[in-house]
């Protein structure tokens, strides 16, 4: 270890060449003797969107509480707090000087969107309209409701909203406020790509047109790239210490993060880079047919929603990505395959054992994680299971906790582990990226891929994080249609064809970053955007 960590290094053999410069100074805040310490603070700027990229438990909320004036930073002197005047002295000459002076004088107002929108119903009784009207300080509610498509659920009780609806209502409620500083802790969980892009644009507009300061934590890198003007990377050891770097350009920040090496900090945060395939990957030849399914149809009620699925085949050993907007029938298709729903036409009885992780993870019995997982597999605790499942999903340190006490990200990792630990022919994971930080997404992606390869398993993954789908999938199944009215699912197809079809529906094109080949969303109507649309190449380089 580098002498700071109290536990095993979270980054797998981190190489700390030099003690990072930040750690030679006093922290911004330390909660107590041997307690979590935060080094560095993000610097929100008027008229700009500042991003933070980093793991959970690294001090992001602590930083925001300081910036909001809720927590007086003690500069590491937890025994006697130095007071705001001294804090201001400590930040004199930095980008934060003016901001901290305002905080000291009580001149900063803040609106904050919490990370776990699923918990909003616990603290609010009433319908969407009542919630939003309370927050409408800028008179912008009508526009927010329209652009985030909240209209259809305005009269619905907050208790009955889906995760994606809650997320959009929470974003609207935050952006409707009239404050100097907006803090959004993850905007993408449960949103489809179209909704993600809309939310990102609304945040940018509020910064640019109204000169507000926006601070956003986001783990969907394609969206973070679109959203932010500058980026702070956060690293360290979750729960022990966190370092928030000086601002970087968004492009450099994401590239350095992916490469695993922070240039200015001279700091390796991961042994290996995360790499994307520039050309459509893996000729989709491998694997015999696992199963063929026929054309299927399913409608609900009096045909309020109807789904048509074109018959196709799932191949042995492949990871099949499933993409499409929310409300288009992806979960319905999953339920048809698992036999939880009967189709109106077609026979979906696949005679397969299917292990299914639903989108909204609801495991919250009063039971310890280890007891829960060992009830699923007798492989539990074997060295194979530890290496392939527990380690990459970072389960070791939460084994003794109760399911009901887990955070959203922890619950997600346990649910992925539980799904993969079942013995089954087909593993079906619905939005495994939700609430995972970037590092955990990469680890989970690797775990799922390796597991498919080593267990001769076949995996279907529904997700909206385009980077995760790119890293994970061999082929792609695309859903389109009109959300909540009718959906259509095409056959699984090669990645390039699938991405082109999917992104053409969304009218979004990607270019490649010159340095890392990382896909980046093009500005609509830019030269590249128009040219790629004309050529029909939306994602992979031709
Ligand atoms: P993040 O927002 O990045 O997930 P937080 O700022 O919430 O991280 O927490 C960082 C660390 O600080 C965690 O280990 C947390 O347990 C610890 N922490 C948060 N609040 C307090 C507190 N009031 N007293 C002691 N430790 C705290
Ligand atoms: P996706 O997984 O693509 O978000 P779903 O398959 O969950 O979409 O839902 C498709 C549509 O069917 C949505 O409009 C949803 O409200 C509706 N729906 C889902 N389940 C039911 C049900 N049991 N009864 C009536 N409507 C339903």
């Amino acid at each position: 270890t580098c002498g700071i960590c109290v536990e095993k290094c979270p980054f797998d053999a981190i190489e700390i060449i030099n003690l990072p410069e930040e750690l030679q100074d006093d922290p911004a805040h330390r909660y107590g003797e041997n307690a979590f310490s935060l080094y560095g603070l993000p610097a929100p700027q008027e008229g700009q969107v500042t991003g933070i990229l980093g793991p959970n438990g690294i001090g992001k909320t602590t930083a925001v509480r300081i910036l909001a004036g809720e927590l007086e930073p003690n500069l590491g002197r937890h025994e006697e707090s130095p007071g705001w005047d001294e804090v201001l002295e400590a930040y004199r000459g930095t980008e934060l000087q003016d901001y901290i002076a305002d905080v000291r004088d009580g001149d900063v107002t803040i609106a904050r969107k919490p990370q776990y929108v699923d918990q909003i119903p616990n603290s609010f009784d009433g319908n969407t309209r009542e919630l939003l009207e309370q927050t409408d300080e800028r008179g912008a509610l009508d526009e927010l409701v329209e652009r985030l498509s909240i209209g259809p659920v305005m009269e619905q009780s907050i208790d009955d909203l889906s995760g994606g609806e809650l997320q959009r209502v929470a974003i609207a409620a935050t952006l409707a406020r009239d404050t100097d500083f907006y803090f959004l802790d993850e905007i993408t969980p449960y949103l489809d790509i179209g909704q993600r892009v809309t939310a990102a644009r609304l945040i940018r507009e509020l910064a640019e047109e109204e000169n507000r300061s926006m601070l956003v934590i986001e783990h969907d890198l394609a969206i973070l790239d679109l959203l932010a003007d500058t980026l702070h990377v956060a690293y360290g050891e979750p729960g022990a210490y966190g370092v928030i770097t000086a601002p970087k350009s968004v492009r450099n920040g994401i590239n350095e993060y992916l490469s695993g090496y922070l240039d200015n900090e001279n700091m390796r945060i991961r042994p290996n880079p995360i790499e994307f395939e520039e050309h459509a990957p893996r000729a989709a030849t491998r694997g015999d047919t696992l199963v063929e399914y026929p054309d299927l149809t399913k409608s609900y009620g009096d045909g309020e929603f109807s789904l048509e699925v074109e018959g196709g085949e799932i191949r042995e050993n492949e990871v099949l990505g499933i993409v499409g907007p929310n409300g288009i029938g992806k979960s319905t298709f999953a339920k048809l395959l698992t036999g939880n729903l009967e189709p109106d036409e077609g026979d979906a009885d696949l005679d397969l054992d299917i292990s299914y992780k639903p989108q909204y993870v609801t495991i919250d019995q009063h039971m310890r994680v280890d007891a829960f997982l060992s009830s699923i597999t007798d492989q539990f605790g074997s060295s194979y299971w530890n290496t392939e499942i527990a380690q990459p999903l970072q389960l070791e340190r939460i084994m003794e906790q109760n399911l009901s006490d887990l955070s959203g990200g922890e619950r997600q990792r346990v649910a992925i582990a539980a799904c993969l630990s079942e013995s089954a022919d087909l593993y079906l994971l619905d939005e495994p990226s939700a609430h995972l930080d970037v590092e955990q997404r990469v680890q989970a992606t690797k775990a799922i891929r390796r597991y498919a390869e080593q267990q001769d398993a076949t995996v279907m993954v529904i997700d909206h994080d385009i980077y995760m789908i790119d890293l994970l999938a061999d082929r792609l199944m695309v859903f389109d249609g009109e959300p909540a009215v009718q959906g259509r699912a095409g056959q699984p197809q090669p990645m390039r064809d699938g991405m082109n079809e999917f992104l053409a529906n969304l009218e979004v094109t990607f270019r490649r970053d010159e340095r890392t080949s990382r896909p980046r969303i093009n500005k609509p109507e830019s030269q590249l955007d128009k040219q790629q649309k004309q050529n029909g190449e939306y994602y992979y380089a031709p």
Side-chain angles (χ1 to χ4, degrees), residues 241-261:
Y241 76 101
V243 182
I244 295 181
T245 67
K248 299 170 185 283
S249 76
V250 180
R251 173 167 175 253
N252 285 346
I254 295 180
N255 285 354
E256 289 175 25
Y257 184 85
L258 291 173
S259 77
Y261 181 75

Side-chain angles (χ1 to χ4, degrees), residues 271-283:
N272 300 308
I274 298 167
E275 284 165 341
F276 293 91
E277 306 203 42
E278 194 160 346
H279 298 275
R282 301 175 282 272

